[in-house]
Amino acid sequence: MENRIIELFEENFGFAFKATTYNNMIVAIRTFEQFKKKNEDFFSFEKRETVFGHLRTYAIERQFNASAFNPKANYSVSMKQVNSYKHKALCIETKDFIVNLGRTNGAFKLLSKSSYKKEFAKSNAGLSMQLSFDLSGEYPVVIESKKYAQITYGYKFGDMTHLSIVLPSDNYSGSEYTVNLLADVNVYKNYVPEELVEESIVALKKNLSDEIEKII
C-alpha cells in the first residue's frame, strides 16, 4: 500500500477526530448501560441479548449522527442503502475517507465481510486507481474516489475492550494500518467537558426510550 494513503489516513483522522470518536463511544456505552440497568425488569427475559445488540448499535450510531451537527465536527454522517434488501449502513465521511463502524471480536479484525464493504475497500488499491468527475463547477474536474476505513470496537461486561481506526487492504483480506484509540485515553477523555457528556447521555436516553417503543 502506498505511503501516501497512510499520510491521508493520518491527515483525516487527527487528534480531533480520534478524541471525538472516543467520546462518542463513551457517551453511547454509558447511555446503553444506564438504560439497561434502569429497565432491568423489562430485560429479564432470555431473548434480551438480541434487543441489547440492537439498542447498543442504535445508541452508538445515533451519537455519531448527533455529533456530526457540531460546527466543529470535521466529518458528516449519512445512511446509505447498501443492498437490494434496502439495508442502510451508517457512513461517516471525512475529506478523503468513507468510514463504517461496528463491533469486532479483536482489535485488528475487520468488520464482517459484505459486498459493499469489499467494494469500498477497492479504493484503497492506490491513489490513481479510482477516478471520477466533479461536474459541479464550470468545467469538469477529475477527482479521486474516497478511501475506506473502519472504526471497530469490542464490548464486554459494560466496557470497551478495544477501539481502533482501521485501514483495510484493497482486497479486504486484513488491515494495512491500525490506530489504537484506547492507548491515549487520558488525552482524549478531557477533549469534551464532563457536563457536555452528561447532557449527551440524557438526550440519548430519550432516543433509546423512543426506539424501544418501536421494538415492542
Side-chain angles (χ1 to χ4, degrees):
M1 182 166 287
E2 295 181 19
N3 290 334
R4 179 56 184 150
I5 297 181
I6 304 298
E7 291 175 8
L8 281 177
F9 184 96
E10 293 289 358
E11 290 171 7
N12 281 252
F13 307 123
F15 174 80
F17 186 93
K18 294 173 184 175
T20 300
T21 296
Y22 171 78
N23 282 282
N24 279 341
M25 291 298 298
I26 290 297
V27 167
I29 295 296
R30 280 193 199 172
T31 301
F32 170 72
E33 287 299 320
Q34 291 177 19
F35 185 84
K36 184 173 68 171
K37 184 173 180 59
K38 183 178 180 180
N39 297 277
E40 57 187 358
D41 288 341
F42 176 79
F43 292 125
S44 60
F45 187 53
E46 289 183 1
K47 292 189 70 174
R48 59 186 176 272
E49 292 301 328
T50 302
V51 179
F52 284 168
H54 176 86
L55 289 177
R56 184 174 57 250
T57 298
Y58 179 86
I60 291 169
E61 294 188 352
R62 179 82 185 200
Q63 178 57 28
F64 272 89
N65 182 73
S67 70
F69 290 96
N70 187 317
K72 295 182 179 180
N74 58 351
Y75 59 90
S76 61
V77 171
S78 62
M79 300 297 294
K80 296 184 183 295
Q81 184 174 319
V82 293
N83 60 29
S84 59
Y85 298 102
K86 297 185 177 181
H87 172 73
K88 291 186 177 182
L90 182 82
C91 293
I92 300 167
E93 293 193 47
T94 65
K95 180 177 179 290
D96 301 298
F97 280 83
I98 293 177
V99 185
N100 290 140
L101 68 91
R103 184 180 179 183
T104 60
N105 292 325
F108 302 102
K109 293 184 178 295
L110 300 178
L111 300 178
S112 59
K113 289 183 179 180
S114 65
S115 296
Y116 77 90
K117 292 170 196 163
K118 290 192 285 186
E119 191 64 30
F120 279 155
K122 289 179 181 179
S123 66
N124 292 351
L127 292 178
S128 59
M129 296 298 292
Q130 302 284 328
L131 302 176
S132 59
F133 288 96
D134 180 1
L135 304 176
S136 60
E138 184 177 358
Y139 302 102
V141 176
V142 177
I143 59 174
E144 192 169 355
S145 297
K146 291 191 175 185
K147 305 307 172 190
Y148 182 54
Q150 297 179 343
I151 296 170
T152 65
Y153 72 92
Y155 170 87
K156 192 173 184 180
F157 303 125
D159 288 317
M160 285 187 288
T161 57
H162 62 269
L163 179 61
S164 307
I165 305 176
V166 181
L167 183 66
S169 59
D170 63 299
N171 61 4
Y172 209 75
S173 61
S175 62
E176 293 285 350
Y177 190 69
T178 302
V179 174
N180 174 17
L181 299 189
L182 295 188
D184 293 308
V185 168
N186 291 331
V187 177
Y188 299 141
K189 69 180 181 181
N190 295 322
Y191 183 72
V192 178
E194 185 63 26
E195 57 268 24
L196 292 183
V197 170
E198 292 302 323
E199 288 178 11
S200 298
I201 289 174
V202 170
L204 194 52
K205 279 183 186 176
K206 174 63 168 61
N207 295 142
L208 274 183
S209 295
D210 294 341
E211 181 66 10
I212 202 167
E213 287 183 6
K214 297 178 187 177
I215 298 174
I216 61 176

